[in-house]
Amino acid sequence: MSLDAVLARIDADLPAATERLLDLLRIPSISTDPAFKGDCDTAADWLVAELNGLGIDASKRVTPGHPMVVGHIDGEGPHLLFYGHYDVQPVDPLDLWDRDPFDPEVQETPKGTVIRGRGAADDKGQLMTFVEACRAWKEVNGTLPCKLTFFLEGEEESGSPSLVPFMKENAEELKSDLALICDTGLFESRVPAITTMLRGLLGEELTITGPSRDLHSGMYGGVAINPVRVLSKIIAGLHDDTGRITVPGFYDGVPELSDEMRAQWQGLAFDHATFLGDVGLSQPAGEQDRTPLEMIWSRPTCEVNGIWGGYTGAGFKTVLPSKAHAKISFRLVGTQDPLKIRESFREMVRAQLPPDCEVEFKPHGASQAGAFDTSDPAFEKARQALSDEWPDTAAYIGCGGSIPIAGHFLNILGTTPMLIGFGKDDDQIHSPNEKYDMESFHKGIRSWARVLAALTRG
């Protein structure tokens, strides 16, 4: 095999690879909105056709929700599985986009060339870096470097309701030596990284009801309980003055960092002032005795994601609302048990309800944190391959986000996940004007070629 020839082919083919990505970005595969179900099918069909064109035996697999795309090709050496997702987030608010989110464009910006459009970074651009690396490898060598399985999901942005049942039903087909996941990013937008720690996620929605209907605040104000006031007090009490979370038993299972890991993270010289400054902030707001990187990667959180009640339209309405609502999420670490925390949180809320109020809860997912053993030699091979491509030496890092698929590979299939991605901090994923740097796309393809070479070398 000739890695140099593969890298040269990637460079020469970059314009065509970019056009293929733009074609995929034009498909509005929003998984959470039933109006786009047909577009999710179209995106799956598009990927099946691309994989078949590379000699991969790929097909669209029906689920109760959006289809999975699964493809296989035999080869020598290790069996690698690649996971990505083809669905995207909704685009609202549309008026904050500078152009149609599904009319993608290559743009020149003060920070360089970018590919602009919904899904450019999360996750279509990332997904295509691996596909394009395989394309170049096949064109140069006639075959792919090892046995490969492609597993592409269409519901990641809507909670993956079909994922676990599908994985369990097809466990033997999906088992591999290593699962590659491309849904992460560079450290500080420049250092290539392998993510080895992920936080878990627990989501709760609650509705507090007081009076049987909205009331006139002049007639009932002062004598009638206001659910917004009740909810506000409960939310205000979720943290103490030092930033610690007050849910009983919340910190059970939260580990302390090892001295080795703490030293490695300190060596990254994380610039939290710039990190916060880029979004108009200046001071870390988490637990006061923790470093900013610990707050993001290794400490649990409780955040209010939305709160509403009463009249919120234009103008003013003197209403005393019947109901108040909030959506609250918990990022989890170590061995924290999301189901125990859910019940503890609910008990805490119920205990603070005054007479004449009742609460209804609606769960929104529960997944544990994940930490992945890097003692497998494949990790160091991949880290060195990434270091060979980028100016900075690749690092093992944590991630504040939650990628449940990584834990599913480990727990359902017994397959170790390896998370490598090329997103940048300012890619605006889930936000208007999402973009993917051309550098990330180009060097991402080259990086995967190098990683494939490293992992399949004898």
Side-chain angles (χ1 to χ4, degrees):
M1 65 184 182
S2 173
L3 177 59
D4 288 342
V6 171
L7 297 176
R9 177 59 64 92
I10 290 169
D11 296 343
D13 195 41
L14 183 61
T18 303
E19 286 300 319
R20 285 187 287 268
L21 173 56
L22 293 175
D23 283 344
L24 181 57
L25 293 176
R26 292 186 182 101
I27 304 172
S29 49
I30 302 172
S31 61
T32 195
D33 188 339
F36 295 89
K37 179 174 176 55
D39 297 296
C40 290
D41 280 344
T42 298
D45 290 334
W46 190 95
L47 287 165
V48 168
E50 284 296 306
L51 295 180
N52 286 339
L54 296 177
I56 296 159
D57 182 14
S59 61
K60 184 171 68 174
R61 306 290 184 85
V62 175
T63 77
H66 301 302
M68 306 286 180
V69 173
V70 179
H72 302 283
I73 191 166
D74 286 329
E76 301 295 326
H79 179 189
L80 305 179
L81 180 147
F82 175 80
Y83 167 88
H85 65 89
Y86 65 81
D87 65 316
V88 300
Q89 280 276 324
V91 297
D92 309 272
L94 191 58
D95 61 334
L96 295 183
W97 286 80
D98 294 333
R99 62 182 293 108
D100 182 339
F102 297 108
D103 181 20
E105 180 181 62
V106 176
Q107 297 178 350
E108 297 299 326
T109 76
K111 292 185 177 181
T113 306
V114 304
I115 303 166
R116 185 84 64 186
R118 174 54 91 223
D122 187 20
D123 182 49
K124 291 178 179 177
Q126 304 254 53
L127 183 159
M128 289 301 290
T129 57
F130 190 85
V131 173
E132 294 297 342
C134 290
R135 187 190 310 278
W137 198 284
K138 179 77 178 294
E139 290 176 352
V140 169
N141 296 294
T143 61
L144 288 168
C146 62
K147 183 177 182 179
L148 285 171
T149 293
F150 291 78
F151 182 28
L152 311 178
E153 186 193 357
E155 297 180 335
E156 197 274 347
E157 300 291 10
S158 53
S160 298
S162 305
L163 182 63
V164 169
F166 185 88
M167 293 181 74
K168 289 180 176 179
E169 291 169 8
N170 298 276
E172 289 305 314
E173 180 185 2
L174 295 173
K175 284 181 179 178
S176 62
D177 297 318
L178 192 67
L180 307 173
I181 301 173
C182 193
D183 200 7
T184 54
L186 305 168
F187 176 71
E188 290 201 319
S189 297
R190 60 179 177 80
V191 179
I194 300 175
T195 300
T196 62
M197 296 173 63
L198 292 166
R199 290 195 289 196
L201 181 61
L202 170 66
E204 281 284 274
E205 181 176 339
L206 64 155
T207 297
I208 294 178
T209 302
S212 59
R213 64 181 186 276
D214 288 356
L215 304 175
H216 188 294
S217 66
M219 298 295 292
Y220 285 91
V223 71
I225 190 67
N226 187 326
V228 173
R229 178 160 61 98
V230 174
L231 178 60
S232 299
K233 183 178 179 180
I234 290 170
I235 289 175
L238 287 172
H239 298 82
D240 67 17
D241 291 340
T242 70
R244 282 182 65 85
I245 295 152
T246 60
V247 176
F250 183 76
Y251 288 92
D252 293 349
V254 176
E256 289 296 332
L257 274 184
S258 67
D259 292 339
E260 180 184 8
M261 186 67 72
R262 182 174 284 107
Q264 184 183 128
W265 287 5
Q266 289 174 345
L268 292 171
F270 176 54
D271 184 358
H272 74 267
T274 298
F275 179 77
L276 291 172
D278 286 344
V279 293
L281 301 175
S282 61
Q283 297 295 320
E287 297 167 282
Q288 293 178 8
D289 60 342
R290 302 292 172 171
T291 68
L293 266 191
E294 285 181 88
M295 294 178 190
I296 298 170
W297 289 350
S298 68
R299 299 301 295 175
T301 69
C302 169
E303 298 293 348
V304 180
N305 304 122
I307 179 171
W308 69 100
Y311 181 70
T312 59
F316 202 85
K317 183 181 181 183
T318 54
V319 65
L320 194 159
S322 168
K323 298 178 184 293
H325 316 263
K327 294 178 187 286
I328 297 174
S329 64
F330 300 87
R331 298 284 177 172
L332 309 179
V333 301
T335 59
Q336 283 181 292
D337 185 333
L339 300 184
K340 287 184 178 180
I341 291 172
R342 167 172 283 153
E343 189 52 40
S344 183
F345 168 72
R346 291 181 176 185
E347 289 179 3
M348 179 182 179
V349 171
R350 293 188 188 105
Q352 297 181 69
L353 290 179
D356 293 333
C357 280
E358 59 184 30
V359 64
E360 179 183 355
F361 296 98
K362 182 179 180 180
H364 286 279
S367 62
Q368 287 188 290
F372 311 114
D373 184 7
T374 60
S375 62
D376 184 332
F379 278 84
E380 191 56 30
K381 290 179 180 179
R383 194 186 71 81
Q384 184 58 57
L386 293 170
S387 300
D388 291 342
E389 177 60 33
W390 295 80
D392 294 277
T393 300
Y396 295 128
I397 67 170
C399 176
S402 304
I403 305 178
I405 182 66
H408 296 331
F409 278 124
L410 196 60
N411 299 325
I412 297 174
L413 304 182
T415 300
T416 299
M418 181 185 289
L419 295 96
I420 299 173
F422 311 101
K424 295 190 175 183
D425 295 337
D426 63 353
D427 281 341
Q428 297 170 248
I429 62 173
H430 295 201
S431 300
N433 300 312
E434 180 179 351
K435 60 87 175 169
Y436 196 40
D437 274 26
M438 185 61 75
E439 178 190 46
S440 292
F441 185 54
H442 184 193
K443 293 183 78 65
I445 302 170
R446 290 175 56 96
S447 294
W448 279 124
R450 290 184 183 274
V451 168
L452 285 172
L455 294 181
T456 55
R457 224 175 263 135

